[in-house]
């Protein structure tokens, strides 16, 4: 599919909570123009379109038939990711999807195969890996700030989204939970920094079989939990690095940690958000009072939706987007292997791999128009 002259024309499918974050950024980038919003609830689609100055709203089918859409941003619930992506591809559109790519390997591969056959591109969240925070950490690691990586430790724990989300049920259904909802942020960053994962060993728990909606019109109603809400993982990387991770919706304490230990120190990676600072603890055996060195994020501010922009620019340049469908497939494969290991109590190999993710130059700027001149890659 050849890019049309002018800004890449984007349609957003799915007008739920997360669409605000996307529409806020997508409507601010000069390389993009949002032409339509779609949702099963057409009134909700119309409200979001009006709120962000988008001229058209309607059903998914109506929007996919439009000629003024080059790229579809798929913000539907995980169970609908594959169907919407395949419909968009069949209509000749590029697709950016929310995480995970799809709920299972078969449909994920079907999406990528269909895109390849149609000559369109698939990209996928999370795009936090494109923010200056994680990009700065990637450059530090590549420059040898802590020596050759040996191990990595990540931790994400909290009480879960049921206390604040008005419709949390899908976050505890198949294809979600802490592993599939939050895990992609950590696993995508792990693969970007340290390369593909070849095997995992995991355990999982579901201490509460039901949860209670804590806010909104359904507050007080109970719903079933269909997934592990606490998962512990040991991962082996192709590079020889060994990783230990925890993903949990069962802790009253909220903690986040992402530390890469190398031969000559430790790198603290700002995995949460786009713009956090990195920290470096230098030395193979530093003294107990050795201070961490803080390294501010270098590069322009980014926010959710920057992956759509980077993807549009990559398509124009004839390149693979950094947050690619192939990377998302590997992350999905890893998560499913973790789930299988936790359910069966045995190590599970990861059959897929992932392409390298080229670093973003510090001068890369989402607010700079590039479609009329040379592409900024």
């Amino acid at each position: 599919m050849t890019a049309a002259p002018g800004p890449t024309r984007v349609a957003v499918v799915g007008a739920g909570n997360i669409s605000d974050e996307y529409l806020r950024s997508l409507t601010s980038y000069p390389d993009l123009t949002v032409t339509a919003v779609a949702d099963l609830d057409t009134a909700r689609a119309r409200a979001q379109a009006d709120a962000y100055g988008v001229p058209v709203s309607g059903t998914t089918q109506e929007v996919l038939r439009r000629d003024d859409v080059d790229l579809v941003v798929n913000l539907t619930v995980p169970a609908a990711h594959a169907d919407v992506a395949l419909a968009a591809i069949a209509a000749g559109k590029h697709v950016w999807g929310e995480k995970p790519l799809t709920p299972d390997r078969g449909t994920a591969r079907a999406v990528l195969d269909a895109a390849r056959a149609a000559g369109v591109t698939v990209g996928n969240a999370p795009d936090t890996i494109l923010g200056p925070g994680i990009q700065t950490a990637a450059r530090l690691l590549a420059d040898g700030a802590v020596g050759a990586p040996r191990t990595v430790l990540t931790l994400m724990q909290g009480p879960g989204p049921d206390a604040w989300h008005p419709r949390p049920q899908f976050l505890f259904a198949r294809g979600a939970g802490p592993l599939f909802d939050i895990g992609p942020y950590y696993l995508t960053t792990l693969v970007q920094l340290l390369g593909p994962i070849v095997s995992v060993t995991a355990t999982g728990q579901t201490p509460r079989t039901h949860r209670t909606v804590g806010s909104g019109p359904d507050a007080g109603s109970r719903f079933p939990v269909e997934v592990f809400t606490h998962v512990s993982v040991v991962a082996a990387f192709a590079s020889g690095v060994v990783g230990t991770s925890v993903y949990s919706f069962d802790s009253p304490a909220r903690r986040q940690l992402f530390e890469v230990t190398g031969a000559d120190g430790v790198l603290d990676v700002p995995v949460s958000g786009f713009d956090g600072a990195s920290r470096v603890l230098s030395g193979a055996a530093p003294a107990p009072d050795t201070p961490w060195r803080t390294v501010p994020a270098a590069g322009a501010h980014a926010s959710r939706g920057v992956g759509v922009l980077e993807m549009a620019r990559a398509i124009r340049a004839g390149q693979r987007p950094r947050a690619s469908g192939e990377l998302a497939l590997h992350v999905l494969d890893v998560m499913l292997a973790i789930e299988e290991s936790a359910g069966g109590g045995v190590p599970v190999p990861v059959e897929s791999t992932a392409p390298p993710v080229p670093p973003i130059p510090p001068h890369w700027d989402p607010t700079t128009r590039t479609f009329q001149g040379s592409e900024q890659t």
Side-chain angles (χ1 to χ4, degrees):
M1 181 177 178
T2 303
T8 298
R9 300 165 299 180
V10 174
V12 172
V13 176
N17 288 354
I18 201 172
S19 67
D20 281 307
E21 294 185 54
Y22 270 95
L23 285 164
R24 192 176 301 119
S25 58
L26 296 179
T27 55
S28 73
Y29 297 143
D31 280 12
L32 306 177
T33 182
V34 182
T35 56
V37 178
D39 197 273
L40 289 172
D41 182 343
T42 55
R44 184 164 67 170
R46 179 72 263 159
Q48 288 297 80
D50 290 345
Y52 292 94
V54 178
V56 172
S57 67
T59 67
T60 300
Q61 293 76 14
E62 289 168 344
V63 166
L64 293 185
R65 286 197 295 265
R66 297 186 63 86
D67 293 331
D68 60 351
V69 174
D70 305 310
L71 190 157
V72 170
V73 177
N74 181 5
L75 306 183
T76 57
V77 296
H81 283 181
D83 288 344
V84 172
L86 289 169
I89 291 166
K93 319 297 185 186
H94 304 291
V95 181
W96 170 271
E98 250 305 320
K99 55 183 176 54
L101 179 58
T102 71
D104 61 84
R105 296 181 183 92
T107 55
R109 292 192 177 100
V111 167
L112 296 189
D113 289 346
R116 195 175 300 113
V120 298
T121 300
V122 174
N124 212 78
D127 52 5
T128 47
I129 64 166
L130 307 178
I134 292 175
Q135 287 292 316
T136 297
R139 290 190 289 269
L140 286 167
L141 198 62
D143 292 343
V146 296
R150 292 177 173 172
T151 63
V152 60
L153 173 65
T154 72
L155 172 66
M156 187 294 300
Q157 61 178 186
D162 46 312
W164 59 266
H165 198 293
R167 300 180 187 87
Q169 293 88 338
F170 77 97
L171 293 169
F172 293 85
R174 294 292 174 192
L179 176 61
F180 285 84
D181 184 42
I182 306 299
Y185 294 104
Y186 288 78
L187 287 163
T188 307
T189 305
L190 284 167
V191 173
Q192 180 191 16
L193 296 182
L194 302 170
I197 293 169
V198 295
S199 69
V200 295
T201 304
T203 59
Q205 289 185 329
T206 309
R208 289 184 281 165
T209 60
H210 288 76
R211 296 262 178 152
T212 301
V213 179
S215 67
D218 298 329
S221 62
R222 283 166 51 83
F223 61 91
V225 176
E226 301 175 0
V227 293
F228 292 125
T229 50
H230 179 100
V231 182
S232 298
V233 187
V234 175
F237 291 76
S239 63
V241 171
V242 174
T244 303
S245 300
V246 171
Y247 308 99
S248 181
F249 282 167
D250 289 314
S251 173
R254 291 175 170 84
R255 297 190 183 96
Q256 292 183 322
L257 181 70
F258 194 122
E259 290 183 351
V260 179
T261 298
D264 299 312
V266 181
L267 173 65
D268 179 26
V269 179
V271 68
S272 179
F274 290 85
D275 302 318
S278 299
R279 296 192 308 151
V280 176
L281 181 63
S282 298
D289 59 350
T290 301
W292 290 73
R293 173 168 63 96
T294 299
V295 183
H301 170 73
S303 57
R304 196 182 299 270
V306 72
V308 180
L309 172 66
E310 195 277 338
M311 177 178 168
R313 291 181 176 180
I315 291 167
R316 290 181 179 280
Q319 298 172 351
R320 186 202 312 268
R322 288 173 170 89
S324 66
E326 292 79 8
L327 175 59
L329 172 60
H330 180 62
V331 169
L332 174 66
D333 196 12
V334 172
M335 291 189 297
L336 291 169
I338 291 170
E339 188 175 59
E340 291 158 5
S341 179
V346 296
V348 174
V350 178
E351 301 296 337
S352 65
T353 188
V357 182
I360 290 179
H363 66 268
W364 193 90
D365 189 349
T367 65
T368 300
R369 178 173 296 191
T370 66
F371 61 83
Q372 291 179 329
S374 61
E375 297 301 328
Q376 188 183 58
T377 62

